[in-house]
Amino acid sequence: MAPSAQRLSSLHVASFVADGALRFDGIVPRALSDAALAELAGGGPPSPFGAPPGSAAAAWPGRPLAGLFHEWPALSAVLELPAVAGVIESLLGPGALYDHHYAHVIAPRNGWAQPWHADAILDPRPTAFDIQLCFFFHDTPREMGGTMYLPGSHLRRVNEFAIARYQNFVGQEAMACPAGSLLVCHHGIWHCGQPNRTDRQRTMFKLRLNPSVPQRLLWDTRDLRDPLVGKILSRDHGWYGHEVRLEIANRLRLWRALTGDPHYDVDFWLTRIENEPR
Amino acid sequence: MLKQKLLILYAANSSPESPVGAWSLFDGTGRETHMAGDGGEPPYSSVVAAMRDGWRVIQMPQLREAPRGDEHAIGFLPYEFVLEKMVEA
């Protein structure tokens, strides 16, 4: 861990397990946000997405994140902010690996909403996860769209746009936020870009990172036994109806993996069905 | 000429009386365009409430047994009701 990184608490990580996302408004100072936006507007760094084989950008995926953005000092500084580095290290541990990045630029007066989807392809990993950092370096009011995401959707395994038939959910959240805000998502989160009804261009910088170590007790665990953890893991987001107990069971399994505690439970949900006297 | 509007409601359980958690609307008349994230509240509190407003149910969700060994798997919303209205256009 970098000495200055500000690690997440257990309550933060429990929220990530329950919601699949953590939101940090204004985590990047305004001047640094402006500088990062200028670097993106200047065309760099090139994304490996669609990059020609053999190009420098195509060789980035799988490399350690540390130092990778050194030619873009503002973006490097963003990732090295103690609060940002702390989020990354709390969820992925030291030595996070770069997966890909992309600057999503939405033109002014674009009235089209991207359909709901999950990124990449259906991911069969039972507990390990990647994170996606979505930076909003300029003010993003609701009429500018922002990214819409569905809290509690990350453990529902779907393949990309297979969920495009859905339009609205009780509890959906639009990332309308001040400049310098960050949304950190589990790789499985359901999300969609929203229309930009302003006269200004919207930019969202997305960075996907992979773990290189087992994701176990990587955060500030001093509050690990806080009873609020169980309440957070039991959240009902409202849109999945009477499947909430299945949601909780899946979160409990992820929490057990993250903490190394194979007996952790809430309301006896898993303990009851693991009881098979012989 | 009659044209079709489709309303898809995702209910809390298999009962058409249960609360709606998600919804979609597709308008074959071309008068309305609906898209991801454009709604704040469900258009109806339940499938039955939509039926009372003239929507016809054309598909009920099948009830499926949980696959053995994967009983807690979650994915798509299972209680999808498809409704239609035929309107002059």
Short mmCIF file of all heavy atoms in Angstrom, two decimals, chain A residues 129-170:
data_model
loop_
_atom_site.label_atom_id
_atom_site.label_comp_id
_atom_site.label_asym_id
_atom_site.label_seq_id
_atom_site.Cartn_x
_atom_site.Cartn_y
_atom_site.Cartn_z
N PHE A 129 -13.26 -9.99 -8.47
CA PHE A 129 -13.91 -8.97 -9.30
C PHE A 129 -12.91 -7.91 -9.75
O PHE A 129 -11.90 -7.67 -9.10
CB PHE A 129 -15.08 -8.32 -8.54
CG PHE A 129 -14.69 -7.65 -7.25
CD1 PHE A 129 -14.23 -6.35 -7.22
CD2 PHE A 129 -14.79 -8.35 -6.05
CE1 PHE A 129 -13.88 -5.74 -6.02
CE2 PHE A 129 -14.43 -7.76 -4.84
CZ PHE A 129 -13.97 -6.45 -4.83
N ASP A 130 -13.23 -7.30 -10.87
CA ASP A 130 -12.54 -6.10 -11.35
C ASP A 130 -13.34 -4.89 -10.89
O ASP A 130 -14.51 -5.01 -10.50
CB ASP A 130 -12.48 -6.09 -12.89
CG ASP A 130 -11.74 -7.30 -13.45
OD1 ASP A 130 -10.96 -7.94 -12.70
OD2 ASP A 130 -11.97 -7.62 -14.63
N ILE A 131 -12.69 -3.74 -10.95
CA ILE A 131 -13.44 -2.51 -10.68
C ILE A 131 -13.33 -1.58 -11.89
O ILE A 131 -12.36 -1.64 -12.65
CB ILE A 131 -12.96 -1.77 -9.40
CG1 ILE A 131 -11.49 -1.36 -9.49
CG2 ILE A 131 -13.23 -2.62 -8.18
CD1 ILE A 131 -11.04 -0.47 -8.33
N GLN A 132 -14.35 -0.76 -12.04
CA GLN A 132 -14.33 0.27 -13.07
C GLN A 132 -14.47 1.62 -12.38
O GLN A 132 -15.40 1.84 -11.60
CB GLN A 132 -15.47 0.06 -14.06
CG GLN A 132 -15.41 -1.31 -14.72
CD GLN A 132 -15.82 -1.29 -16.17
OE1 GLN A 132 -15.04 -0.97 -17.04
NE2 GLN A 132 -17.05 -1.63 -16.43
N LEU A 133 -13.50 2.48 -12.65
CA LEU A 133 -13.52 3.83 -12.10
C LEU A 133 -14.08 4.76 -13.18
O LEU A 133 -13.54 4.82 -14.29
CB LEU A 133 -12.12 4.29 -11.70
CG LEU A 133 -11.51 3.61 -10.46
CD1 LEU A 133 -10.89 2.28 -10.83
CD2 LEU A 133 -10.45 4.49 -9.81
N CYS A 134 -15.15 5.46 -12.85
CA CYS A 134 -15.77 6.41 -13.78
C CYS A 134 -15.57 7.81 -13.22
O CYS A 134 -16.15 8.15 -12.18
CB CYS A 134 -17.26 6.11 -13.95
SG CYS A 134 -17.59 4.43 -14.52
N PHE A 135 -14.73 8.58 -13.88
CA PHE A 135 -14.43 9.95 -13.43
C PHE A 135 -15.25 10.95 -14.22
O PHE A 135 -15.33 10.89 -15.45
CB PHE A 135 -12.94 10.26 -13.63
CG PHE A 135 -12.03 9.55 -12.67
CD1 PHE A 135 -11.36 8.40 -13.07
CD2 PHE A 135 -11.82 10.04 -11.39
CE1 PHE A 135 -10.51 7.74 -12.20
CE2 PHE A 135 -10.96 9.38 -10.51
CZ PHE A 135 -10.31 8.22 -10.92
N PHE A 136 -15.85 11.88 -13.50
CA PHE A 136 -16.60 12.99 -14.09
C PHE A 136 -15.85 14.26 -13.73
O PHE A 136 -16.01 14.80 -12.63
CB PHE A 136 -18.04 13.00 -13.56
CG PHE A 136 -18.80 11.73 -13.89
CD1 PHE A 136 -18.62 10.57 -13.13
CD2 PHE A 136 -19.65 11.68 -14.98
CE1 PHE A 136 -19.28 9.41 -13.45
CE2 PHE A 136 -20.33 10.51 -15.30
CZ PHE A 136 -20.14 9.37 -14.54
N PHE A 137 -14.99 14.71 -14.64
CA PHE A 137 -14.08 15.81 -14.31
C PHE A 137 -14.74 17.18 -14.41
O PHE A 137 -14.17 18.16 -13.96
CB PHE A 137 -12.85 15.75 -15.22
CG PHE A 137 -11.93 14.59 -14.93
CD1 PHE A 137 -11.54 13.72 -15.93
CD2 PHE A 137 -11.46 14.38 -13.64
CE1 PHE A 137 -10.69 12.64 -15.65
CE2 PHE A 137 -10.60 13.31 -13.35
CZ PHE A 137 -10.22 12.44 -14.36
N HIS A 138 -15.91 17.25 -15.05
CA HIS A 138 -16.61 18.54 -15.07
C HIS A 138 -17.98 18.36 -14.42
O HIS A 138 -18.46 17.23 -14.23
CB HIS A 138 -16.77 19.06 -16.51
CG HIS A 138 -17.43 18.09 -17.46
ND1 HIS A 138 -18.76 17.74 -17.37
CD2 HIS A 138 -16.93 17.39 -18.51
CE1 HIS A 138 -19.06 16.88 -18.33
NE2 HIS A 138 -17.96 16.63 -19.04
N ASP A 139 -18.61 19.48 -14.07
CA ASP A 139 -19.96 19.40 -13.50
C ASP A 139 -20.86 18.63 -14.45
O ASP A 139 -20.86 18.86 -15.66
CB ASP A 139 -20.52 20.81 -13.28
CG ASP A 139 -19.83 21.53 -12.11
OD1 ASP A 139 -19.40 20.85 -11.17
OD2 ASP A 139 -19.73 22.77 -12.17
N THR A 140 -21.64 17.71 -13.90
CA THR A 140 -22.53 16.88 -14.72
C THR A 140 -23.92 16.91 -14.11
O THR A 140 -24.30 16.05 -13.32
CB THR A 140 -22.00 15.43 -14.79
OG1 THR A 140 -20.62 15.45 -15.20
CG2 THR A 140 -22.80 14.61 -15.80
N PRO A 141 -24.71 17.95 -14.47
CA PRO A 141 -26.10 17.99 -13.97
C PRO A 141 -26.94 16.92 -14.66
O PRO A 141 -26.54 16.37 -15.69
CB PRO A 141 -26.55 19.40 -14.35
CG PRO A 141 -25.69 19.78 -15.51
CD PRO A 141 -24.37 19.08 -15.33
N ARG A 142 -28.11 16.66 -14.13
CA ARG A 142 -28.95 15.58 -14.67
C ARG A 142 -29.27 15.79 -16.14
O ARG A 142 -29.31 14.83 -16.92
CB ARG A 142 -30.25 15.48 -13.86
CG ARG A 142 -31.18 14.35 -14.32
CD ARG A 142 -30.60 12.98 -14.07
NE ARG A 142 -31.46 11.89 -14.52
CZ ARG A 142 -31.31 11.22 -15.67
NH1 ARG A 142 -30.33 11.55 -16.50
NH2 ARG A 142 -32.14 10.24 -15.98
N GLU A 143 -29.48 17.04 -16.58
CA GLU A 143 -29.80 17.27 -17.99
C GLU A 143 -28.63 16.96 -18.91
O GLU A 143 -28.78 16.84 -20.11
CB GLU A 143 -30.31 18.69 -18.22
CG GLU A 143 -29.31 19.79 -17.90
CD GLU A 143 -29.45 20.29 -16.47
OE1 GLU A 143 -29.90 19.52 -15.60
OE2 GLU A 143 -29.08 21.46 -16.22
N MET A 144 -27.44 16.80 -18.30
CA MET A 144 -26.27 16.41 -19.09
C MET A 144 -26.15 14.89 -19.11
O MET A 144 -25.28 14.33 -19.77
CB MET A 144 -25.01 17.04 -18.50
CG MET A 144 -23.83 17.03 -19.41
SD MET A 144 -22.43 17.87 -18.65
CE MET A 144 -22.07 19.10 -19.89
N GLY A 145 -27.03 14.26 -18.37
CA GLY A 145 -27.08 12.81 -18.37
C GLY A 145 -26.36 12.17 -17.22
O GLY A 145 -26.94 11.88 -16.17
N GLY A 146 -25.08 12.02 -17.43
CA GLY A 146 -24.28 11.20 -16.55
C GLY A 146 -24.55 9.74 -16.86
O GLY A 146 -25.40 9.40 -17.69
N THR A 147 -23.83 8.91 -16.21
CA THR A 147 -24.04 7.47 -16.34
C THR A 147 -25.14 7.06 -15.39
O THR A 147 -25.12 7.43 -14.22
CB THR A 147 -22.75 6.71 -16.02
OG1 THR A 147 -21.72 7.15 -16.91
CG2 THR A 147 -22.94 5.21 -16.13
N MET A 148 -26.11 6.29 -15.86
CA MET A 148 -27.12 5.74 -14.96
C MET A 148 -26.68 4.34 -14.57
O MET A 148 -26.17 3.59 -15.41
CB MET A 148 -28.49 5.72 -15.62
CG MET A 148 -29.58 5.23 -14.70
SD MET A 148 -31.23 5.63 -15.33
CE MET A 148 -31.50 7.23 -14.57
N TYR A 149 -26.84 4.00 -13.30
CA TYR A 149 -26.46 2.67 -12.85
C TYR A 149 -27.54 2.14 -11.92
O TYR A 149 -28.36 2.90 -11.40
CB TYR A 149 -25.08 2.68 -12.18
CG TYR A 149 -25.00 3.46 -10.89
CD1 TYR A 149 -24.99 2.83 -9.66
CD2 TYR A 149 -24.92 4.86 -10.91
CE1 TYR A 149 -24.90 3.55 -8.48
CE2 TYR A 149 -24.84 5.58 -9.74
CZ TYR A 149 -24.83 4.92 -8.52
OH TYR A 149 -24.76 5.65 -7.36
N LEU A 150 -27.53 0.83 -11.75
CA LEU A 150 -28.58 0.18 -10.97
C LEU A 150 -27.97 -0.46 -9.73
O LEU A 150 -27.36 -1.54 -9.81
CB LEU A 150 -29.28 -0.87 -11.82
CG LEU A 150 -30.49 -1.55 -11.18
CD1 LEU A 150 -31.56 -0.52 -10.80
CD2 LEU A 150 -31.08 -2.60 -12.11
N PRO A 151 -28.09 0.21 -8.58
CA PRO A 151 -27.52 -0.36 -7.35
C PRO A 151 -28.09 -1.75 -7.09
O PRO A 151 -29.30 -1.98 -7.21
CB PRO A 151 -27.97 0.64 -6.27
CG PRO A 151 -28.13 1.95 -7.00
CD PRO A 151 -28.68 1.55 -8.35
N GLY A 152 -27.20 -2.66 -6.75
CA GLY A 152 -27.61 -4.02 -6.42
C GLY A 152 -27.71 -4.95 -7.61
O GLY A 152 -28.16 -6.09 -7.48
N SER A 153 -27.26 -4.53 -8.78
CA SER A 153 -27.39 -5.36 -9.98
C SER A 153 -26.16 -6.20 -10.29
O SER A 153 -26.21 -7.10 -11.12
CB SER A 153 -27.68 -4.48 -11.20
OG SER A 153 -26.63 -3.55 -11.42
N HIS A 154 -25.04 -5.94 -9.62
CA HIS A 154 -23.73 -6.45 -10.02
C HIS A 154 -23.58 -7.96 -9.91
O HIS A 154 -22.74 -8.54 -10.59
CB HIS A 154 -22.65 -5.77 -9.19
CG HIS A 154 -22.86 -5.90 -7.71
ND1 HIS A 154 -24.00 -5.44 -7.09
CD2 HIS A 154 -22.10 -6.45 -6.73
CE1 HIS A 154 -23.92 -5.69 -5.80
NE2 HIS A 154 -22.79 -6.32 -5.55
N LEU A 155 -24.37 -8.60 -9.06
CA LEU A 155 -24.22 -10.06 -8.90
C LEU A 155 -25.20 -10.83 -9.79
O LEU A 155 -25.22 -12.06 -9.76
CB LEU A 155 -24.42 -10.45 -7.43
CG LEU A 155 -23.42 -9.77 -6.46
CD1 LEU A 155 -23.66 -10.21 -5.03
CD2 LEU A 155 -21.97 -10.05 -6.87
N ARG A 156 -25.97 -10.11 -10.57
CA ARG A 156 -26.88 -10.75 -11.54
C ARG A 156 -26.13 -10.89 -12.85
O ARG A 156 -25.87 -9.92 -13.54
CB ARG A 156 -28.14 -9.90 -11.73
CG ARG A 156 -28.98 -9.90 -10.49
CD ARG A 156 -30.30 -9.18 -10.66
NE ARG A 156 -31.08 -9.45 -9.47
CZ ARG A 156 -32.11 -10.29 -9.43
NH1 ARG A 156 -32.53 -10.88 -10.52
NH2 ARG A 156 -32.73 -10.53 -8.29
N ARG A 157 -25.82 -12.11 -13.16
CA ARG A 157 -24.94 -12.35 -14.31
C ARG A 157 -25.72 -12.31 -15.61
O ARG A 157 -26.59 -13.14 -15.86
CB ARG A 157 -24.23 -13.69 -14.14
CG ARG A 157 -23.25 -13.61 -12.99
CD ARG A 157 -22.49 -14.87 -12.80
NE ARG A 157 -21.72 -14.77 -11.56
CZ ARG A 157 -21.31 -15.79 -10.87
NH1 ARG A 157 -21.60 -17.01 -11.29
NH2 ARG A 157 -20.61 -15.62 -9.77
N VAL A 158 -25.37 -11.35 -16.42
CA VAL A 158 -25.99 -11.21 -17.74
C VAL A 158 -24.87 -10.91 -18.73
O VAL A 158 -23.79 -10.47 -18.36
CB VAL A 158 -27.02 -10.05 -17.75
CG1 VAL A 158 -28.16 -10.35 -16.79
CG2 VAL A 158 -26.37 -8.72 -17.40
N ASN A 159 -25.19 -11.17 -19.98
CA ASN A 159 -24.19 -10.91 -21.01
C ASN A 159 -24.49 -9.61 -21.73
O ASN A 159 -25.48 -9.51 -22.46
CB ASN A 159 -24.13 -12.07 -22.02
CG ASN A 159 -22.91 -11.95 -22.91
OD1 ASN A 159 -21.78 -11.86 -22.41
ND2 ASN A 159 -23.13 -11.91 -24.21
N GLU A 160 -23.68 -8.64 -21.48
CA GLU A 160 -23.67 -7.35 -22.17
C GLU A 160 -25.09 -6.79 -22.36
O GLU A 160 -25.78 -6.53 -21.39
CB GLU A 160 -22.92 -7.50 -23.51
CG GLU A 160 -22.25 -6.22 -23.95
CD GLU A 160 -21.64 -6.32 -25.34
OE1 GLU A 160 -21.67 -7.39 -25.94
OE2 GLU A 160 -21.14 -5.29 -25.81
N PHE A 161 -25.57 -6.65 -23.61
CA PHE A 161 -26.84 -5.97 -23.87
C PHE A 161 -28.04 -6.91 -23.82
O PHE A 161 -29.10 -6.57 -24.34
CB PHE A 161 -26.79 -5.26 -25.22
CG PHE A 161 -25.98 -3.98 -25.18
CD1 PHE A 161 -24.64 -3.97 -25.49
CD2 PHE A 161 -26.58 -2.78 -24.80
CE1 PHE A 161 -23.89 -2.80 -25.43
CE2 PHE A 161 -25.85 -1.60 -24.75
CZ PHE A 161 -24.50 -1.61 -25.07
N ALA A 162 -27.88 -8.07 -23.20
CA ALA A 162 -29.02 -8.97 -23.05
C ALA A 162 -30.14 -8.32 -22.23
O ALA A 162 -31.29 -8.75 -22.29
CB ALA A 162 -28.59 -10.27 -22.39
N ILE A 163 -29.82 -7.27 -21.48
CA ILE A 163 -30.81 -6.59 -20.64
C ILE A 163 -31.36 -5.33 -21.31
O ILE A 163 -32.03 -4.53 -20.66
CB ILE A 163 -30.23 -6.25 -19.25
CG1 ILE A 163 -28.91 -5.47 -19.42
CG2 ILE A 163 -30.04 -7.51 -18.44
CD1 ILE A 163 -28.34 -4.96 -18.10
N ALA A 164 -31.07 -5.16 -22.60
CA ALA A 164 -31.47 -3.92 -23.28
C ALA A 164 -32.98 -3.74 -23.35
O ALA A 164 -33.46 -2.64 -23.59
CB ALA A 164 -30.87 -3.89 -24.69
N ARG A 165 -33.73 -4.80 -23.16
CA ARG A 165 -35.19 -4.70 -23.16
C ARG A 165 -35.70 -3.88 -21.97
O ARG A 165 -36.75 -3.25 -22.04
CB ARG A 165 -35.79 -6.11 -23.12
CG ARG A 165 -37.30 -6.13 -23.11
CD ARG A 165 -37.84 -7.53 -22.89
NE ARG A 165 -37.44 -8.45 -23.94
CZ ARG A 165 -37.73 -9.74 -23.97
NH1 ARG A 165 -38.45 -10.27 -22.99
NH2 ARG A 165 -37.33 -10.52 -24.95
N TYR A 166 -34.97 -3.89 -20.87
CA TYR A 166 -35.39 -3.12 -19.70
C TYR A 166 -35.16 -1.63 -19.95
O TYR A 166 -34.15 -1.24 -20.51
CB TYR A 166 -34.58 -3.54 -18.47
CG TYR A 166 -34.60 -5.01 -18.13
CD1 TYR A 166 -33.47 -5.63 -17.59
CD2 TYR A 166 -35.73 -5.79 -18.32
CE1 TYR A 166 -33.46 -6.97 -17.25
CE2 TYR A 166 -35.74 -7.13 -18.00
CZ TYR A 166 -34.60 -7.73 -17.46
OH TYR A 166 -34.60 -9.06 -17.14
N GLN A 167 -36.11 -0.83 -19.47
CA GLN A 167 -35.93 0.63 -19.60
C GLN A 167 -35.76 1.33 -18.26
O GLN A 167 -34.88 2.18 -18.11
CB GLN A 167 -37.12 1.24 -20.36
CG GLN A 167 -37.11 0.92 -21.85
CD GLN A 167 -38.33 1.42 -22.57
OE1 GLN A 167 -39.35 1.76 -21.97
NE2 GLN A 167 -38.25 1.45 -23.89
N ASN A 168 -36.58 0.98 -17.29
CA ASN A 168 -36.53 1.70 -16.02
C ASN A 168 -36.71 0.75 -14.84
O ASN A 168 -37.44 -0.24 -14.94
CB ASN A 168 -37.64 2.77 -15.97
CG ASN A 168 -37.36 3.90 -16.92
OD1 ASN A 168 -36.48 4.72 -16.67
ND2 ASN A 168 -38.10 3.95 -18.02
N PHE A 169 -36.05 1.10 -13.76
CA PHE A 169 -36.10 0.30 -12.54
C PHE A 169 -36.38 1.22 -11.35
O PHE A 169 -35.88 2.36 -11.30
CB PHE A 169 -34.75 -0.37 -12.26
CG PHE A 169 -34.26 -1.28 -13.35
CD1 PHE A 169 -33.54 -0.77 -14.43
CD2 PHE A 169 -34.49 -2.64 -13.29
CE1 PHE A 169 -33.06 -1.61 -15.43
CE2 PHE A 169 -34.02 -3.49 -14.29
CZ PHE A 169 -33.31 -2.97 -15.37
N VAL A 170 -37.13 0.72 -10.41
CA VAL A 170 -37.24 1.41 -9.13
C VAL A 170 -35.83 1.45 -8.52
O VAL A 170 -35.16 0.43 -8.47
CB VAL A 170 -38.20 0.65 -8.18
CG1 VAL A 170 -38.13 1.22 -6.77
CG2 VAL A 170 -39.62 0.69 -8.72
#
